[in-house]
Amino acid sequence: MLKTRYVKDIKEGEQIRDLFLVGNKTQLVSNAGKPYLNLILRDRTGQLEGRVWDRAEEIGKRFERDDIVEVTGSVLQYQGRIQVKVHDVQKATGLPPDLGNFLPVTRKGIEPLWNQLRELVKSVKDADLRKLLEAVFPDPPETETARGFRQAPGGKTMHHDYIGGLLEHTVSVALICRFLAAHYEGVDGDLLVAGALLHDVGKVEELAYEGTFDYTDEGRLLGHLYLGAERISRICGEIPEFPAGKATLLKHMILSHHGELSFGSPKRPKTLEAVLLHFVENMDAKANAFAEAMEDLREGARWSDYNRMFDRYLFSGRFEK
Amino acid sequence: MLKTRYVKDIKEGEQIRDLFLVGNKTQLVSNAGKPYLNLILRDRTGQLEGRVWDRAEEIGKRFERDDIVEVTGSVLQYQGRIQVKVHDVQKATGLPPDLGNFLPVTRKGIEPLWNQLRELVKSVKDADLRKLLEAVFPDPPETETARGFRQAPGGKTMHHDYIGGLLEHTVSVALICRFLAAHYEGVDGDLLVAGALLHDVGKVEELAYEGTFDYTDEGRLLGHLYLGAERISRICGEIPEFPAGKATLLKHMILSHHGELSFGSPKRPKTLEAVLLHFVENMDAKANAFAEAMEDLREGARWSDYNRMFDRYLFSGRFEK
Amino acid sequence: MLKTRYVKDIKEGEQIRDLFLVGNKTQLVSNAGKPYLNLILRDRTGQLEGRVWDRAEEIGKRFERDDIVEVTGSVLQYQGRIQVKVHDVQKATGLPPDLGNFLPVTRKGIEPLWNQLRELVKSVKDADLRKLLEAVFPDPPETETARGFRQAPGGKTMHHDYIGGLLEHTVSVALICRFLAAHYEGVDGDLLVAGALLHDVGKVEELAYEGTFDYTDEGRLLGHLYLGAERISRICGEIPEFPAGKATLLKHMILSHHGELSFGSPKRPKTLEAVLLHFVENMDAKANAFAEAMEDLREGARWSDYNRMFDRYLFSGRFEK
Amino acid sequence: MLKTRYVKDIKEGEQIRDLFLVGNKTQLVSNAGKPYLNLILRDRTGQLEGRVWDRAEEIGKRFERDDIVEVTGSVLQYQGRIQVKVHDVQKATGLPPDLGNFLPVTRKGIEPLWNQLRELVKSVKDADLRKLLEAVFPDPPETETARGFRQAPGGKTMHHDYIGGLLEHTVSVALICRFLAAHYEGVDGDLLVAGALLHDVGKVEELAYEGTFDYTDEGRLLGHLYLGAERISRICGEIPEFPAGKATLLKHMILSHHGELSFGSPKRPKTLEAVLLHFVENMDAKANAFAEAMEDLREGARWSDYNRMFDRYLFSGRFEK
Amino acid sequence: MLKTRYVKDIKEGEQIRDLFLVGNKTQLVSNAGKPYLNLILRDRTGQLEGRVWDRAEEIGKRFERDDIVEVTGSVLQYQGRIQVKVHDVQKATGLPPDLGNFLPVTRKGIEPLWNQLRELVKSVKDADLRKLLEAVFPDPPETETARGFRQAPGGKTMHHDYIGGLLEHTVSVALICRFLAAHYEGVDGDLLVAGALLHDVGKVEELAYEGTFDYTDEGRLLGHLYLGAERISRICGEIPEFPAGKATLLKHMILSHHGELSFGSPKRPKTLEAVLLHFVENMDAKANAFAEAMEDLREGARWSDYNRMFDRYLFSGRFEK
Amino acid sequence: MLKTRYVKDIKEGEQIRDLFLVGNKTQLVSNAGKPYLNLILRDRTGQLEGRVWDRAEEIGKRFERDDIVEVTGSVLQYQGRIQVKVHDVQKATGLPPDLGNFLPVTRKGIEPLWNQLRELVKSVKDADLRKLLEAVFPDPPETETARGFRQAPGGKTMHHDYIGGLLEHTVSVALICRFLAAHYEGVDGDLLVAGALLHDVGKVEELAYEGTFDYTDEGRLLGHLYLGAERISRICGEIPEFPAGKATLLKHMILSHHGELSFGSPKRPKTLEAVLLHFVENMDAKANAFAEAMEDLREGARWSDYNRMFDRYLFSGRFEK
């Protein structure tokens, strides 16, 4: 069966029969004492709630969170939101479905972003750094790391939380760094761009993105700063005569890019390139999160809901007449 | 008398007779019970210490801090630094000397920076914002504000602490903002650039820069965020039909550009333009302070002394062989 | 139609038909899948919940939040609280109703408080400050500012959150300041009292109080500290030969009255009058909030619920026998 | 020998022979390798430095810090301050000198302050609290506590750091509390005034004030909050049928009067009386410290030196013409 | 009636009739407008929810929170948890039931723990400290303090939150301190063990544990640090010639054992014994809380739910194969 | 030449001619304008100041900081401390001197500590962990890491700042962990002890200890947490079939042992073993620092000077009387 109808197009009153990713599955009991299932049904365009009122226990045993399922039901409104009254759920069978249909994906396209990243790699003239970047981001992307890097989100929920988000964030940060290398005197531009391209490489291991985004055990216990620096250390070690000092500067940029100890960096930025990378990285995450908050504005709203990342309400800039 | 010899060129063993700005004057008593004067003698290239061992009380009455004085003396070394054994001091008379000889000045040149600023002003297409910017930065710079803006330092000691520093910082911030307006979707580029050009305009009133840089009473009691916002509010009020919302957005950018309440912003950034301006402004101040720290590296040093602005030691990036 | 029955007098079992302010309107769906409306119905004595079970969608289209509506329904209990089962809702027509019936109002009376404020104004002997205060608080209160000042609450939810609350808070603060001016040596009493009377004047613009209290856009983006200081700056500028230093001291008191940067003051108090004002202002807000917490004690309770302003539980002082 | 000449009256060029309290004694060595003594000589009007250049080792063995000594010497200037070139020092003999001549004393007079305190005690109508206050502050002050309370400073260096300072601070706080008890509804005025009178009673044990002010071991290990609460607990226990709840409320006020855990209060204020006491106590300490900073202004200065208690520079309110 | 069936053994589908402690009682109204009761039913093995759908108002009047009641009902599942559909509730009559059946109890047994504590007491050789410990922990435990100490939990919810928890925590801390006294040079072992045994004695008064654990008024207003130190001060005062210094050191250990002002200690640890006690006490609380979190792991889970005490998710150490 | 006389034995009045490590070398100028050298002369028992008054410039060129030099001079007192009036300085020649004579060394002896560490290694039964520990700490210690581990200090200045300090700290921490593994249920004792032995292994690279202790570039840029975890990762990778999960748990323990992000750990402890290790490690550092503070007590003092690590004054426990 093929996916035909996407969440963002589904309207009140429709009958649907389509594939979704199960984002969550909870068994509840109504006030009247009857068990029912509450489901989060996801595809790449968004998510909606589904409720199984009949045969909830039986149906609930057929699938788990993160499965792709075929859902039959009718669409109604609940508290101003679309909801599916689910008649039946079956686990999808046959060919493995394209995950890209079920998880949100960068709107900029993975291929165009990859091409931009490759241009950035090629802009690096320093031979050592260039070898390192080619090892991490080979073209075609035939290593596991490179494949993971193209898929991974930029974060679980805070910013760039979609397939390709890590790639999008990395390219944006590196482009700004390329600009700053020309803008400021005294910057080692190749080092800055290389650090920008590598700063979040640890997220490939920190996050799980084969279904609903989550942290891996390694991610929770070691974090992407450590994982990224260790990975770069290992790869530098495999490049003949890679200068130790250059590797140290790159690892320093990776470890310090959160800027402050209290944000999880074990060292604060101590080189000009590390200082600049921290600011650009932080700004890019915030700019993306701001854009997402504006997309999520309730209809007619000029102010966002309370935004946890910013710890404040955000303004669209539109005043009432 | 004309200034002929500058601090950075003065060497041990010289006899000097030249003009300096008095950065500080302190009367001390030697262990042997004899009074002497300790002076900080400044010009645009740096400062050195001077000591008056003879007739200290008499000579000390002739001038005050921030006066331009003619100093006669011989140069020796003290703790690895140049020091002047002062024979005589006279307050400078005749034509008022060019302050630019006695205070550090931006190396980028005030005229070139002013031209860049004017280009940025002209890049703003929004008619309201353009009128406002023309009022604040008229060409030629014939208002008191514009003249002050070209002279003022960017800060007392932390960053851009030289004549023209405010102009240099402003232009740098606005150029980066112009880049970001193209880089990110959804940015109001004219608003962002206008906010960048105006964000520190309150420093014209906050700082005193007719001699050794210091804060004014208004600066200490109200601060440049308030002073800048109030000034822009007043000027907007003088432009016919300037939209209230646009003025509010600009004032918000000025008030929030320190990013956090604990850094002196009474409101945190709540619009995309205010968020971006905060990051760029902070980054530019840090990049300048980093560059100054590298210029101040002790000879042969690879690490800076403890840097108060960064609260850490900074690294030149140079490893020992 | 006239308001006849107030929230605090409404009892279980009554049939009501009366006017209320709509504090909130939310469309929900019951477990059985049927849409219903949840309303907050307010008048000056309090608020209660109302539920529209029948014709919810139709009825919900007739009115918005902050409208005055005529509600017909029967009163029952829900979780130990009174609730209205609403039969019908109509938007109020005819003469505009007196908002004072629908929003909580200071128990001290606006006229008596205004008279106290006027006495405080008249107690100021300094001619400049007296002129300024007469301009801000003319008698009769015929300016928009003065009218707003008599109506505005002291805050949205934290303290003095009722019509006239700003006036009540201001008078209380100024009376304590008048006492302290006599108690301590070296205080400029007129300056202290003037600062007390003006410290929160920016709340007239920061808050919306034509319906449920909320922040205005200007309030959220600029805040009452900035708005108040700018307003006083403008008015001082309209008084011939108002001394610049006096205006600066007043603006400093307004900007610094929150005491710490992290509480939103861009400058901390640096004069004795600003230091005293900060303490008195803070104490008065807390004393009011404490009194409100005691009024809200659950029946028989000796300790308050968790209080967000104090971040703790508050004690009535009554021990069990 | 009698004290005849006080620090504040001593002028450059005088020969002196008088009694002083030794505030500090340090043995140093001149650059030329000769040992000398540096002394702080104190009396109730201030302190000056003294230097013993000859026979420093021999003379240094005759006395210790906090001794009263007879000093012979000549007065000169050093770095703009008066200094004594000491010829000889002898430990004072004969009758014990009046410490009040050698330590700073409240300018308000201990007797007048005691009378004010007694009036405040008598204003308390609650029989239990009255008995407690009479036990702590009997008239005449014949207990050790009462005698200590009349002598103790309010702090070591921060505020009210002079003999009688504790009494002065206590009376000031209690008078303001008496005013607030009338100003606010719902305050238990007797409890508030009693708490005000007792809040710092632990300082009698926390501080040593028989010479240069310092902390006692108990003060450093337990602090005046604990010491005060324990003392009041003990005294309440000796009053027949003193209500346990009242004792708890008083101990709570003592323990919580610093307002925040991070300022050393193990519990934050949870009653209205404790909340008010905290604000008044803090304000009074700051008002006193502000006044001291103004007294210490350098000649002609409008701004104070950096003030450690306020962590800022303080302004006299005087603008330049 | 006797307790026969415990929460941890109760299964879906059973009919029950047994005794429980009422942990909470809330009156609610169903969506259909019908009132019902929500109960928390506790015994020493855990708690479950109960709902009274019929005659809720009448039944609700028969008992209060913390009563022991006889409940009749049938057991079903709700959101994956066991729930009782309650048919009837009667307050228990007859002999007072053993509270130990209804509140969680230390698994280590109160008698064995008491014996360990007594061994620790006997290990103290210092005669003064030994007398003090015998007074606080007499054997048999015939004082009210000793009886309370054997019953009290270690905290309300955070750690050791069961009957005997205080005793268990105290013994564990003291055993580790005994080890450290031998491990480190320069430790006064008797002082350290005595401080360990006494550090939380104030919890006997701070907490109420005759029913659902809660804080007493004294606990909320004064806290167990103050209450413990005052109690030890009183008992030391009753021991002839107990050295004042030793009492001060013990009180310092009690007051400082939270380690930081912001954690409620009015003084930070300043002796070696106080420093060590703080670490051990904190570690033991955390180790217990960690163990409880592991016991509460959802079935099959490897990570805990969000843990409020640790402010993080905790890991069992088990990786997926 | 051999070292014969040590700092702790040198007395006023002696003539010395002996070897010292140059801890610091500063060129100064006396008030009389004459240049002189200030030296810090160190050996393993302490340090003293030396001054070269004659031929300072010539002598100053002969040696650098961290050289071993032969010093001739006479000993006198300065401000109560011993000081050397230096007549001559020559760089030591001939055989390289034993650094152990010039740097402070653990009093517990490196061999005994190494034997204790080996016993701890042998106590680990888990085969994987045992292999890892044998690889890191082989006996005899023939790897560079093991040799460095036996020499390295525990820190630059804060605690265990002497040769062998890292070894001493590690053994102490591991012994306490061995005890806790038996004391608490549910602890993986081998994992805890292995983590304890490895937690600070990164200090071998972080610190330079061939002369005056300092940080290496890698230490400042990456820190010992990262360096240690990366090293263990690498060594685990060289052990066939070392379980990935076990390596992750060890790396987590190393990275999290500072306990909080703000103390430099990029992740907080999330396993029981990591939680315990953090407390023990912190306690051991503090216990050592406390002991050092007691050794440094000024003669007769009962309280320490202000201690920067503790941010407080520390008490010896000795009361007067």
Side-chain angles (χ1 to χ4, degrees), chain F residues 2-17:
Chain F
L2 290 176
K3 174 100 182 144
T4 54
R5 201 129 180 80
Y6 284 89
V7 167
K8 76 167 171 28
D9 301 320
I10 291 173
K11 300 222 161 20
E12 191 182 357
E14 289 185 29
Q15 299 301 316
I16 57 164
R17 182 173 175 181

Side-chain angles (χ1 to χ4, degrees), chain C residues 12 77 80, chain E residues 22 24-28 35-39 52 54-65 67-69 86 88-92:
Chain C
E12 191 183 356
Q77 272 223 357
Chain E
V22 179
N24 215 0
K25 181 186 81 170
T26 325
Q27 191 173 335
L28 299 165
Y36 66 97
L37 275 183
N38 199 59
L39 304 178
V52 184
D54 295 322
R55 293 178 300 146
E57 291 190 65
E58 176 205 334
I59 289 176
K61 285 173 185 150
R62 297 183 189 157
F63 61 95
E64 295 301 330
R65 184 183 172 219
D67 282 346
I68 307 291
V69 293
V86 175
D88 201 10
V89 186
Q90 297 287 350
K91 198 165 164 179

Side-chain angles (χ1 to χ4, degrees), chain A residues 58-225:
Chain A
E58 176 205 334
I59 290 175
K61 286 175 186 151
R62 297 182 187 156
F63 60 95
E64 296 301 330
R65 184 183 172 219
D66 281 343
D67 282 346
I68 306 291
V69 294
E70 184 185 327
V71 174
T72 318
S74 25
V75 182
L76 41 79
Q77 271 222 359
Y78 177 68
Q79 297 194 19
R81 293 169 191 254
I82 291 294
Q83 186 180 93
V84 184
K85 188 175 171 193
V86 175
H87 307 318
D88 201 10
V89 185
Q90 297 287 349
K91 199 164 165 179
T93 53
L95 287 177
D98 179 2
L99 259 179
N101 284 338
F102 299 97
L103 292 169
V105 179
T106 173
R107 290 185 314 189
K108 307 209 163 170
I110 287 176
E111 285 312 319
L113 287 167
W114 179 256
N115 292 338
Q116 285 188 285
L117 180 140
R118 286 295 310 167
E119 287 306 310
L120 284 156
V121 166
K122 284 186 262 176
S123 79
V124 171
K125 304 302 176 209
D126 179 283
D128 301 311
L129 296 174
R130 180 68 177 277
K131 274 182 220 156
L132 172 62
L133 293 172
E134 291 288 354
V136 178
F137 306 114
D139 197 39
E142 60 207 353
T143 63
E144 200 177 331
T145 300
R147 274 194 302 269
F149 196 89
R150 288 162 52 105
Q151 290 299 114
K156 186 182 163 192
T157 52
M158 286 298 208
H159 68 99
H160 295 92
D161 48 349
Y162 39 75
I163 292 294
L166 175 58
L167 184 57
E168 179 182 330
H169 172 56
T170 298
V171 166
S172 178
V173 169
L175 285 172
I176 299 173
C177 284
R178 193 38 96 204
F179 172 82
L180 293 179
H183 182 80
Y184 286 119
E185 290 171 29
V187 178
D188 181 337
D190 280 354
L191 180 64
L192 179 57
V193 170
L197 291 169
L198 298 171
H199 80 280
D200 264 352
V201 72
K203 285 191 172 170
V204 172
E205 274 177 275
E206 185 191 42
L207 294 164
Y209 36 90
E210 296 299 301
T212 304
F213 302 151
D214 207 345
Y215 291 100
T216 61
D217 289 341
E218 286 70 26
R220 291 186 185 201
L221 293 170
L222 306 176
H224 71 276
L225 272 58

Side-chain angles (χ1 to χ4, degrees), chain E residues 107-108 171-173 175-176 179-180 183-185 244-246 248-249 259-260 268-273 275-276 279-280 282-288 290-291 294 303 310-317 319, chain F residues 107-108 171-173 175-176 179-180 183-185 244-246 248-249 259-260 268-273 275-276 279-280 282-288 290-291 294 303 310-317 319:
Chain E
R107 292 186 313 191
K108 307 208 164 172
V171 166
S172 178
V173 169
L175 285 171
I176 299 173
F179 172 81
L180 293 178
H183 182 80
Y184 287 120
E185 289 171 29
K246 241 173 244 182
T248 296
L249 291 174
E260 296 291 337
R268 293 172 299 164
K270 297 180 178 180
T271 62
L272 180 53
E273 293 77 17
V275 167
L276 293 175
F279 279 110
V280 174
N282 196 358
M283 177 173 69
D284 192 69
K286 294 291 184 350
N288 182 267
F290 200 107
M294 290 301 111
W303 287 86
F310 282 94
D311 179 33
R312 72 195 78 156
Y313 298 87
L314 300 174
F315 187 47
S316 65
F319 286 89
Chain F
R107 290 185 314 189
K108 306 207 164 174
V171 166
S172 178
V173 170
L175 286 172
I176 299 173
F179 172 81
L180 293 179
H183 182 79
Y184 286 119
E185 289 171 30
K246 241 173 243 181
T248 296
L249 290 175
E260 296 291 336
R268 294 172 298 164
K270 296 180 178 180
T271 63
L272 181 52
E273 292 78 17
V275 167
L276 293 175
F279 278 110
V280 174
N282 196 358
M283 177 174 67
D284 192 69
K286 295 291 186 348
N288 181 268
F290 199 106
M294 289 302 110
W303 286 85
F310 282 94
D311 180 32
R312 73 196 76 156
Y313 298 87
L314 301 174
F315 187 47
S316 64
F319 286 88

Side-chain angles (χ1 to χ4, degrees), chain E residues 95-290:
Chain E
L95 286 177
D98 179 1
L99 259 178
N101 284 338
F102 298 96
L103 293 168
V105 179
T106 173
R107 292 186 313 191
K108 307 208 164 172
I110 287 177
E111 285 311 320
L113 287 168
W114 179 256
N115 292 337
Q116 285 187 285
L117 180 140
R118 286 294 311 168
E119 286 306 310
L120 284 157
V121 167
K122 283 188 260 174
S123 79
V124 171
K125 303 302 175 212
D126 180 282
D128 301 312
L129 296 174
R130 180 68 177 276
K131 273 182 221 154
L132 172 62
L133 292 171
E134 291 289 353
V136 178
F137 305 115
D139 197 40
E142 60 208 351
T143 62
E144 201 177 329
T145 301
R147 274 194 302 268
F149 196 89
R150 288 162 52 106
Q151 288 300 113
K156 186 182 164 193
T157 52
M158 285 299 207
H159 68 98
H160 296 91
D161 48 349
Y162 39 75
I163 291 294
L166 175 58
L167 183 57
E168 180 183 329
H169 172 56
T170 298
V171 166
S172 178
V173 169
L175 285 171
I176 299 173
C177 284
R178 190 41 93 204
F179 172 81
L180 293 178
H183 182 80
Y184 287 120
E185 289 171 29
V187 178
D188 181 337
D190 280 353
L191 181 64
L192 179 57
V193 170
L197 291 169
L198 297 172
H199 80 281
D200 264 353
V201 72
K203 285 192 172 170
V204 172
E205 272 177 278
E206 186 191 41
L207 294 164
Y209 36 92
E210 296 300 300
T212 304
F213 302 150
D214 207 345
Y215 291 100
T216 61
D217 288 343
E218 286 71 25
R220 292 186 184 201
L221 293 170
L222 307 177
H224 71 276
L225 271 58
Y226 174 79
L227 290 168
E230 195 206 273
R231 178 183 290 259
I232 295 311
S233 192
R234 205 165 49 234
I235 301 178
C236 288
E238 292 161 3
I239 298 174
E241 297 183 36
F242 196 94
K246 241 173 244 182
T248 296
L249 291 174
L250 281 170
K251 288 190 277 183
H252 173 66
M253 290 172 81
I254 294 172
L255 290 178
S256 71
H257 82 257
H258 282 186
E260 296 291 337
L261 301 192
S262 57
F263 296 156
S265 271
K267 288 287 171 185
R268 293 172 299 164
K270 297 180 178 180
T271 62
L272 180 53
E273 293 77 17
V275 167
L276 293 175
L277 176 58
H278 157 57
F279 279 110
V280 174
E281 200 276 338
N282 196 358
M283 177 173 69
D284 192 69
K286 294 291 184 350
N288 182 267
F290 200 107

Side-chain angles (χ1 to χ4, degrees), chain A residues 217-319:
Chain A
D217 289 341
E218 286 70 26
R220 291 186 185 201
L221 293 170
L222 306 176
H224 71 276
L225 272 58
Y226 174 80
L227 290 167
E230 196 206 272
R231 179 182 290 257
I232 294 312
S233 192
R234 206 164 50 233
I235 301 178
C236 289
E238 293 161 2
I239 298 173
E241 296 183 36
F242 196 94
K246 242 174 242 183
T248 296
L249 290 174
L250 280 170
K251 288 189 277 183
H252 173 66
M253 290 172 82
I254 294 171
L255 290 179
S256 71
H257 82 258
H258 283 186
E260 296 291 337
L261 302 191
S262 57
F263 297 156
S265 271
K267 289 286 171 186
R268 294 171 299 163
K270 297 180 177 179
T271 62
L272 180 53
E273 292 78 17
V275 167
L276 293 175
L277 176 58
H278 157 57
F279 279 110
V280 174
E281 200 277 336
N282 196 0
M283 177 174 69
D284 192 69
K286 294 293 186 348
N288 181 268
F290 199 107
E292 292 193 11
M294 290 300 111
E295 283 174 23
D296 292 350
L297 276 189
R298 290 161 184 276
E299 199 186 310
R302 303 176 303 113
W303 286 85
S304 76
D305 291 343
Y306 172 79
N307 186 290
R308 201 158 67 90
M309 190 189 194
F310 282 95
D311 179 34
R312 72 197 77 155
Y313 298 87
L314 300 173
F315 188 47
S316 64
R318 290 192 299 275
F319 286 89

